[in-house]
Amino acid sequence: MSLAGWIIMLSACGSITGLMIWCIRKVVSTPESYEHLHAQTDIDPHDQD
Amino acid sequence: MSKREYWSSRVGAIMAVTGSAVGLGNFIRFPGQAAQYGGGAFLIPYLIAFLVVGLPLAWAEWALGRYGGNLGHNSSPGIFRAILGSRKGAYLGMLGTLMPVMIYMYYIFVEAWCLAYAWDYLTGHFSALGSDSSAIEKYFMTFVGAGGNGLMFTSSAGRMLIFLGICLVANIALIYHGVHKGIERFCNIAMPLLVVCAGIVLVRVLTLPANPAHPEQTVLNGLGYMWNPTKPGETLLHALSNPEIWLAATGQIFFSLSVGFGLILTYASYLKPKDDVALSSVTACAGNEFCEVVLGGMIAIPAAFVFLGPAVVQHPPGTFGMGFITLPNVFNQMPLGSLFGFLFFFLLFLAAITSSLSMLQPSIALLEEGLSIGRKASVTILGIVTLIGCLFVGYFSKDFTALDTLDFWMANFFIFIFATIQSVIFAWVLGINKGMEELNRGAEIKLPRVLPFMLKYISPLYLLIIFGLWVYYNLPGRLKAIATLPKDGPPVVLFSVLLILGVALFFTVIVALANRTWDKKERVS
């Protein structure tokens, strides 16, 4: 395989693998939409200062 | 009428869409096309097609699907009717149910071949064939009945019917269990299993020693055929000046990402109103590209080169030849070939069944919401329609003429048309501002600023140019084939087109009935 072949292979596979890992991390670390609803404890009435 | 369904989790929806996208094309068609068009050079139009049409259209289709789902529709006719505000919209959306069902009618055969090959490797049947490529070819052609019409139903080739039956029953059973309990649960197991199987086969291929009889046939040299930017004696500019490379790369992106079929429309319609579609869409696309470029791009060509030499990778056979004749020959020569052959064909089977499931769901959704019938009735109706189509494709098996004709019109011709329709509906009918607002709702990532411009102008224009070129190169020959009556047998091409028209008529009636149901609902509300 030529040097250009190595560069194409590593950049293509690296960028796609990197994108997939980034996406999976983002998906599993972000709560599902129904969890966006605020619980009572999240509400700050700003009256306790 | 059945209760409205949703995906139980975002991961489940992503797995299902990725499963729909990952198919045989990722592991067999992509490497074959890349090697044919100069390896690395193919990746340039492939990447451009991914960025210009693949990813933007996937975003648009996910957004349109969730938008339609929020309006109470899961089928493309219902979604298009709601967006266009017209009964005619439902007829336009009919392509999104017709295409997947017609593709299912032949795709299920390929799925059955994969299952049969996996079984044959597991039971050691294939080892007996050895490395005699003509014996492997004869085995395949007899198994699929390619020698003559009706051969698949004879006792010598009838074994195929058993595997076909298993696949038909498995698909219908999973669809019957619904989106969450059937499709989602299955894809959550099948997709990770597929990646594990592919990973094992990949490690085996990358650690293969050089062929003792031909020391220059190493894995590295094989990878060169896949990744070197040009073929020997050819410049990159020369390779890219060939319009066919652009057509092949764009077609591969379409078929691979499952955009333009209407499948994502239906799957995304089962999302909840505030579920993210922006990140989910990129994740599904990235998962598909990982399977295609990283796994698929490293297995078939290097392995074929090590055992069979440069001729087979310089002029790779078609998808079927590569998958069911060339690669079995490779596995038969590999140490522990039965095990790796089983893993490879089992992963292909998983890739195929997760795709075929997605082809049935749009029609199930139309039958349920349009005719107000339950799952049992909708699955029965669709089961009968697809069985008739399967029997047709199975009977006219000679030289794969019926299969090839359905594939040309559905997975090549109409996919461009439906993708263009979806692109225009998102950017021009719904409106690019409203479309982007919909896409951004619940988005977990920031979308590129250039995306509205891309979706409004670049993607439709690129699609039209590529479609124009494709029509110029392919359509005259195909139209001539319909009108030509063969001297030595039935006009299978004509019959296949009539089958498409017959199924289209069936869906036209269903959409007409669905329109009446939706009219009544709108009057009541």
Side-chain angles (χ1 to χ4, degrees), chain B residues 173-185:
Chain B
L174 286 167
I175 281 291
Y176 178 73
H177 281 91
V179 167
H180 164 48
K181 288 182 181 168
I183 298 171
E184 185 177 350
R185 277 189 186 172

Side-chain angles (χ1 to χ4, degrees), chain B residues 41-313:
Chain B
F42 181 80
L43 285 180
I44 295 172
Y46 179 82
L47 186 67
I48 291 173
F50 176 73
L51 294 174
V52 174
V53 288
L55 191 54
L57 278 183
W59 266 321
E61 202 167 331
W62 274 78
L64 284 175
R66 187 187 58 178
Y67 182 77
N70 294 341
L71 297 173
H73 295 286
N74 300 116
S75 66
S76 52
I79 292 170
F80 277 26
R81 174 190 156 109
I83 293 172
L84 296 174
S86 150
R87 301 173 102 245
K88 287 176 189 163
Y91 292 104
L92 199 61
M94 195 185 78
L95 265 182
T97 53
L98 174 69
M99 276 195 300
V101 161
M102 295 306 303
I103 294 171
Y104 174 87
M105 289 173 185
Y106 64 83
Y107 197 82
I108 193 88
F109 283 90
V110 186
E111 188 177 315
W113 301 346
C114 295
L115 181 63
Y117 268 49
W119 175 255
D120 284 346
Y121 270 111
L122 192 67
T123 54
H125 182 80
F126 249 109
S127 315
L129 295 175
S131 58
D132 182 356
S133 61
S134 59
I136 295 172
E137 185 175 348
K138 191 181 170 195
Y139 174 84
F140 174 66
M141 300 303 260
T142 308
F143 180 63
V144 302
N149 292 329
L151 280 185
M152 213 187 76
F153 298 97
T154 61
S155 58
S156 60
R159 208 168 69 92
M160 170 66 201
L161 293 177
I162 298 169
F163 291 99
L164 179 67
I166 293 170
C167 291
L168 284 169
V169 170
N171 273 279
I172 290 293
L174 286 167
I175 281 291
Y176 178 73
H177 281 91
V179 167
H180 164 48
K181 288 182 181 168
I183 298 171
E184 185 177 350
R185 277 189 186 172
F186 182 73
C187 289
N188 279 345
I189 298 167
M191 290 311 291
L193 191 58
L194 180 156
V195 173
V196 169
C197 290
I200 296 170
V201 177
L202 176 65
V203 169
R204 170 67 281 196
V205 168
L206 293 182
T207 54
L208 281 172
N211 189 326
H214 305 278
E216 74 286 359
Q217 287 176 210
T218 62
V219 171
L220 262 187
N221 287 341
L223 284 170
Y225 281 95
M226 186 68 211
W227 298 101
N228 284 344
T230 53
K231 288 177 179 173
E234 193 182 51
T235 63
L236 186 61
L237 201 64
H238 180 256
L240 293 178
S241 63
N242 176 8
E244 285 183 28
I245 195 174
W246 294 86
L247 294 176
T250 310
Q252 178 63 26
I253 278 292
F254 264 123
F255 199 75
S256 181
L257 291 177
S258 282
V259 291
F261 282 101
L263 309 176
I264 298 175
L265 273 181
T266 293
Y267 270 10
S269 73
Y270 295 106
L271 290 168
K272 297 186 187 91
K274 285 188 179 174
D275 276 345
D276 156 88
V277 290
L279 176 62
S280 301
S281 173
V282 186
T283 309
C285 289
N288 176 69
E289 290 309 299
F290 179 78
C291 289
E292 182 152 297
V293 177
V294 181
L295 299 176
M298 307 278 244
I299 293 176
I301 296 295
F305 178 76
V306 169
F307 290 103
L308 305 176
V312 76
V313 290

Side-chain angles (χ1 to χ4, degrees), chain A residues 1-6 8-10 12-24 26-34 36-37, chain B residues 8-11 14 40-41 43 50 220-221 223-224 227-229 272 274-276 279 282-283 286-287 289-290 293-294 298 442 444-445:
Chain A
M1 186 157 65
S2 67
L3 178 66
W6 272 105
I8 291 174
M9 184 180 84
L10 292 177
C13 294
S15 54
I16 288 169
T17 308
L19 175 68
M20 196 188 69
I21 291 171
W22 179 82
C23 286
I24 292 172
K26 190 99 178 147
V27 166
V28 295
S29 64
T30 314
E32 298 268 347
S33 63
Y34 59 84
H36 292 180
L37 297 171
Chain B
S8 74
S9 71
R10 187 171 54 200
V11 173
I14 292 168
L43 285 180
F50 176 73
L220 262 187
N221 287 341
L223 284 170
W227 298 101
N228 284 344
K272 297 186 187 91
K274 285 188 179 174
D275 276 345
D276 156 88
L279 176 62
V282 186
T283 309
E289 290 309 299
F290 179 78
V293 177
V294 181
M298 307 278 244
E444 303 286 4
I445 54 169

